[in-house]
Amino acid sequence: MPEITTFQARSDDIYVVTAPKAGTTLTQELVWLVCNEADTERAREVDLDDRFPFLEFPFPGRKFIGGLSSPRFIKSHLRLEFLPPDIFNKKCKIIYTARNMKDVFVSLYHFLRLLSFVNYKGTFEEFFKLHTETLMGRGDFWDHVLSFWKLRNESNILFLKYEDMIKDLASQVRLIAKFLDKQLTEEQVRKIAFNCSFDNMKHNPSVNKTWMLDAGLFNANQGSFMRKGKVGDWKNMFTAEMSECMDELNREHFEVHGLHLEEEI
């Protein structure tokens, strides 16, 4: 991706980076509101994809990103080694969110069924087998997380866990504000946490990708972009054998590095 490699960062850019289906949208909305004085009214008026564009996605595109005023808010699913080097050269602030892999896996399965241009028709069992033998089996998802976990003590990296957001969203708002040097009142913290609760996000057209349904990019009969957002939903899909397989991958890739992601709360 030569255009990505040569992307020009700005020192005051703020990036949200995650593996797919790991709490990206929630993190974006939290970060934007923290940096914009909890302006939930404006947040509801302007689509998140315009306020916080996707670096490697063609819409709205890097030309659009280049024309944004500073500070720019940019999201990416790229692994660390594929991000533009200029981000690190300029020590841009990066908020990374990780989520337990079992819930990521279930969420990704439903998302690929939702996308009309993918239109995945296989069973969850088939999906699990295919991906544990290929993408997941190679450790790609784990490496995505680990590369940032290893940088968690860098001054420009904030490593968050999705499960912590679900347990106590207000505490994570304060953590983000501290990292970004933003002063929030307790009323603003409560306002952001309320606005970013799953139920409110699910019914907020500016964050729930309504435009993708309108554009025919979602299968209308396959649910919605904001599905459940729960910790532990994997238990409704995983067999005991699947769970043990994933546990072994977690032990191999995460636990040896001191990283633990809660699978139920």
Side-chain angles (χ1 to χ4, degrees), residues 114-125:
L114 177 65
L115 291 174
S116 60
F117 54 89
V118 176
N119 207 30
Y120 183 75
K121 296 291 188 182
T123 65
F124 182 71
E125 290 77 9

Side-chain angles (χ1 to χ4, degrees), residues 50-108:
D50 292 322
R51 292 183 280 121
F52 219 124
F54 195 171
L55 178 63
E56 59 268 27
F57 198 65
F59 178 82
R62 284 179 288 282
K63 184 176 180 180
F64 174 86
I65 294 173
L68 291 173
S69 58
S70 294
R72 299 182 302 185
F73 302 91
I74 302 170
K75 106 172 183 184
S76 178
H77 289 316
L78 292 174
R79 286 171 53 156
L80 185 146
E81 63 266 35
F82 297 129
L83 285 168
D86 210 32
I87 293 176
F88 300 97
N89 293 338
K90 291 179 177 167
K91 299 287 285 185
C92 300
K93 291 202 170 183
I94 301 172
I95 297 93
Y96 187 91
T97 300
R99 185 183 188 186
N100 84 77
M101 287 300 177
K102 292 178 183 177
D103 281 331
V104 165
F105 207 68
V106 169
S107 186
L108 183 61

Side-chain angles (χ1 to χ4, degrees), residues 160-178:
L160 301 176
K161 297 178 181 180
Y162 179 79
E163 292 75 22
D164 291 339
M165 295 180 180
I166 298 302
K167 286 193 295 186
D168 186 357
L169 193 52
S171 70
Q172 301 304 292
V173 172
R174 296 185 191 98
L175 193 61
I176 292 169
K178 181 179 179 180

Side-chain angles (χ1 to χ4, degrees), residues 14 29-38 71 73 176 180 182 184 192:
I14 297 172
E29 189 73 343
L30 288 170
V31 169
W32 192 91
L33 288 169
V34 164
C35 292
N36 286 273
E37 300 181 332
F73 302 91
I176 292 169
L180 296 174
K182 298 296 180 182
L184 296 177
I192 293 172

